[in-house]
Amino acid sequence: MSRHTKIVATLGPASSDLATLERLVQSGVDVVRLNFSHGTAEDHIRRAGQIREASLLAGRPVGILADMQGPKIRVGKFEEGKITLVKDAPFILDAAMTGLGDANRVGLDYKDLPRDVKPGDVLLLDDGRLKLGVERVLGHEIHTRVKVGGELSNNKGINRQGGGLTAPALTAKDMDDIKTAAQIGVDFVAISFPKGSADMYMARQLLRAAGSSAVLIAKIERTEAVANLEEILDASDGIMVARGDLAVEVGDAAVPALQKRMIRLARERNKLTITATQMMESMILSPVPTRAEVSDVANAVLDGTDAVMLSAETASGKFPIEVVESMARICLEAEKSAEVTMDRDFLDRIFTRIDQSIAMAAMWTAYHLKVKAIASLTQTGSTALWMSRLNSGVPIYALTPETSARNQMTLYREVYPLLMSQIHADRDVLLWEAEQILLEQGVVTYGDLIVLTIGEPIGAAGGTNTMKIVRVGDTPKPGIV
């Protein structure tokens, strides 16, 4: 059984050499994440080259995701690198401070924070581990009292409980980084902290102006983003359920239900989903996951997510290969028990496009005829995307002549992208060649039933208009000119 759910792995010090990258790809990584919060443009360009090389060496397509840093809402640095906040002690956040902080006060990267808060607000530091209650705001100083103490080190993040910080989603650094991402030729770009559709429209304009057609992913991590989820989905190609910052803003207890809702809405709108943050956190230091982590990954798979993401586990953990192998194993087991609901999924559905109607017809037919595989000849991958929104239990092989489309389809659930030249104009020749590719890949044998989809005229994007059901081996080799 092939794994349907894709795995995204973050690169870092533990996974930046070519040998480790090749092993990660062989272990099951489908998309590699470049975290633009760390490193220089030259670092990202070099790593992207290594990813493409590792993909060739491993013989598997791998997508590249550029994750923008977004606004830096963080404390500054301390003289000793860290301090200990004591419960009920006063502490000042000083937006004008340029030096190193101490146990009494610290500077801020986000200089507008004093304008965003008021007495009574609660500020959450270091992913909610520390809490400060705002008592008063005096000019550039926020006077707080420690509600939950502990160790606070350099550059830790700040959230306001309930959201409401005005920092723009796209900073000047992000705008430069989008140009770098376009230069690299990344397949996906993730935007941090969008509040509404306008942030995503601006990001898309910047991407297109830079010459990139990358898939645009919105990271849902603000209270405002939850409220504006549907408009953000409509302005994006997919979303990332970024559970770290989201949990800090809306409360950790609200996240599981939000995760299910986000994935459901995204699938209904033919959008992609990545579920992220602390999925296998214990494997940063341990060679085996906890039972709770196993359940967390399995639940995301059962929710219908396209991909599950690893962050520090592969970027800086001790067991980057083992964590990918564990995640792949969990995904496979969860998929065995996933409910196939094709009959219910088709209730009250309306198709307004010919290509989408063919995609849905192929899924319905494949499910009820129990075919071995679906082969979709596609230019852009749209047909494969629509198919992947339904769980038929039948693998979808997307055959495209476009390398960029193949790489973007590495994130589609239950889709296995392959390059196919498609140089012939004869439909029957192309369908026969598609059949041969499936035989060469070992996914079908003679006598298996398969469903094929194709568009005419050949090579026209959005032109899928034909479905054919064949038994492998029954079609004689057509005359090829």
Side-chain angles (χ1 to χ4, degrees):
M1 178 181 176
S2 299
R3 173 169 45 84
H4 299 165
T5 310
K6 304 305 176 78
I7 295 175
V8 182
T10 303
L11 283 201
S15 52
S16 287
D17 62 281
L18 182 58
T20 303
L21 268 173
E22 186 183 353
R23 289 184 64 199
L24 283 172
V25 176
Q26 290 172 335
S27 299
V29 169
D30 300 286
V31 176
V32 171
R33 171 178 173 249
L34 299 177
N35 186 356
F36 275 66
S37 296
H38 307 287
T40 64
E42 291 71 26
D43 292 333
H44 300 309
I45 292 168
R46 176 180 53 79
R47 284 176 173 171
Q50 288 180 315
I51 294 163
R52 298 299 188 209
E53 188 176 350
S55 172
L56 286 172
L57 290 170
R60 289 183 65 235
V62 176
I64 298 178
L65 167 68
D67 195 339
M68 299 296 104
Q69 177 176 289
K72 289 175 66 177
I73 307 175
R74 302 176 184 276
V75 299
K77 296 184 178 181
F78 297 96
E79 289 178 6
E80 306 295 328
K82 61 184 178 182
I83 60 164
T84 299
L85 293 177
V86 179
K87 189 178 185 317
D88 295 327
F91 189 68
I92 298 172
L93 300 171
D94 188 347
M97 186 174 180
T98 55
L100 298 174
D102 54 29
N104 299 310
R105 70 171 63 214
V106 71
L108 295 167
D109 283 333
Y110 178 48
K111 305 303 182 184
D112 289 334
L113 189 62
R115 288 190 284 182
D116 282 354
V117 300
K118 62 185 185 303
D121 283 348
V122 175
L123 297 177
L124 305 164
L125 281 65
D126 193 11
D127 287 337
R129 293 181 177 89
L130 309 170
K131 288 186 181 182
L132 304 176
V134 178
E135 295 190 330
R136 62 188 182 278
V137 180
L138 300 176
H140 49 76
E141 294 181 347
I142 304 170
H143 291 251
T144 73
R145 195 159 297 276
V146 179
K147 300 181 72 145
V148 176
E151 184 177 283
L152 177 64
S153 55
N154 295 339
N155 303 124
K156 291 300 181 184
I158 304 173
N159 297 78
R160 188 174 79 170
Q161 196 168 61
L165 297 182
T166 60
L170 288 164
T171 65
K173 179 182 184 302
D174 293 330
M175 295 176 188
D176 287 338
D177 286 344
I178 284 175
K179 293 176 184 176
T180 301
Q183 178 187 345
I184 290 171
V186 302
D187 308 296
F188 313 92
V189 172
I191 302 300
S192 297
F193 300 104
K195 291 186 284 188
S197 58
D199 293 328
M200 301 311 296
Y201 285 128
M202 180 182 288
R204 194 179 296 278
Q205 287 179 333
L206 290 168
L207 261 180
R208 298 300 177 257
S212 172
S213 58
V215 170
L216 193 61
I217 305 292
K219 295 170 68 176
I220 308 300
E221 46 196 340
R222 277 180 162 169
T223 303
E224 297 91 334
V226 174
N228 298 325
L229 180 61
E230 294 188 23
E231 69 171 59
I232 290 175
L233 276 167
D234 291 339
S236 311
D237 301 309
I239 57 172
M240 182 188 294
V241 187
R243 303 179 306 178
D245 283 289
L246 182 63
V248 172
E249 293 216 354
V250 304
D252 51 11
V255 170
L258 279 175
Q259 174 178 309
K260 292 179 184 298
R261 175 172 171 258
M262 285 188 241
I263 293 172
R264 176 178 56 79
L265 285 175
R267 288 177 69 84
E268 287 174 358
R269 284 170 164 76
N270 298 315
K271 307 294 183 175
L272 301 170
T273 54
I274 303 170
T275 305
T277 316
Q278 296 179 334
M279 300 217 78
M280 307 279 274
E281 184 93 345
S282 72
M283 287 194 72
I284 294 172
L285 300 173
S286 167
V288 294
T290 67
R291 302 298 174 264
E293 288 166 343
V294 171
S295 295
D296 184 32
V297 173
N299 275 319
V301 171
L302 295 173
D303 287 342
T305 191
D306 285 276
V308 283
M309 193 174 97
L310 297 163
S311 298
E313 298 96 330
T314 51
S316 57
K318 292 184 176 180
F319 305 98
I321 309 301
E322 290 83 352
V323 71
V324 172
E325 291 172 344
S326 294
M327 184 168 263
R329 187 173 63 251
I330 296 163
C331 290
L332 270 171
E333 286 299 319
E335 288 160 4
K336 290 178 184 177
S337 60
E339 184 182 6
V340 177
T341 58
M342 288 288 288
D343 294 321
R344 190 170 71 216
D345 289 340
F346 272 85
L347 290 175
D348 301 321
R349 274 184 176 257
I350 297 173
F351 310 126
T352 57
R353 292 178 54 156
I354 293 172
D355 48 0
Q356 189 176 18
S357 299
I358 293 294
M360 295 300 99
M363 295 299 288
W364 181 266
T365 303
Y367 170 64
H368 284 283
L369 280 182
K370 306 301 179 190
V371 305
K372 191 67 177 287
I374 299 168
S376 172
L377 280 74
T378 178
Q379 288 291 124
T380 63
S382 294
T383 305
L385 175 64
W386 288 323
M387 290 178 179
S388 71
R389 299 308 85 190
L390 300 174
N391 177 24
S392 70
V394 180
I396 303 156
Y397 290 87
L399 309 175
T400 178
E402 304 292 337
T403 301
S404 59
R406 180 201 64 174
N407 292 342
Q408 289 175 357
M409 288 188 282
T410 55
L411 199 56
Y412 297 6
R413 183 184 175 108
E414 211 167 340
V415 172
Y416 307 95
L418 299 168
L419 282 178
M420 178 180 172
S421 61
Q422 301 187 22
I423 58 174
H424 303 289
D426 187 299
R427 183 194 68 185
D428 292 332
V429 171
L430 287 175
L431 293 178
W432 183 83
E433 288 182 348
E435 187 179 313
Q436 299 311 300
I437 288 174
L438 295 189
L439 281 166
E440 290 167 9
Q441 292 288 321
V443 297
V444 298
T445 57
Y446 289 104
D448 288 337
L449 270 183
I450 61 174
V451 171
L452 300 155
T453 66
I454 194 171
E456 291 182 296
I458 305 300
T464 299
N465 55 15
T466 303
M467 180 186 79
K468 188 174 182 180
I469 307 163
V470 302
R471 192 173 298 279
V472 177
D474 283 3
T475 305
K477 182 177 181 178
I480 298 176
V481 179

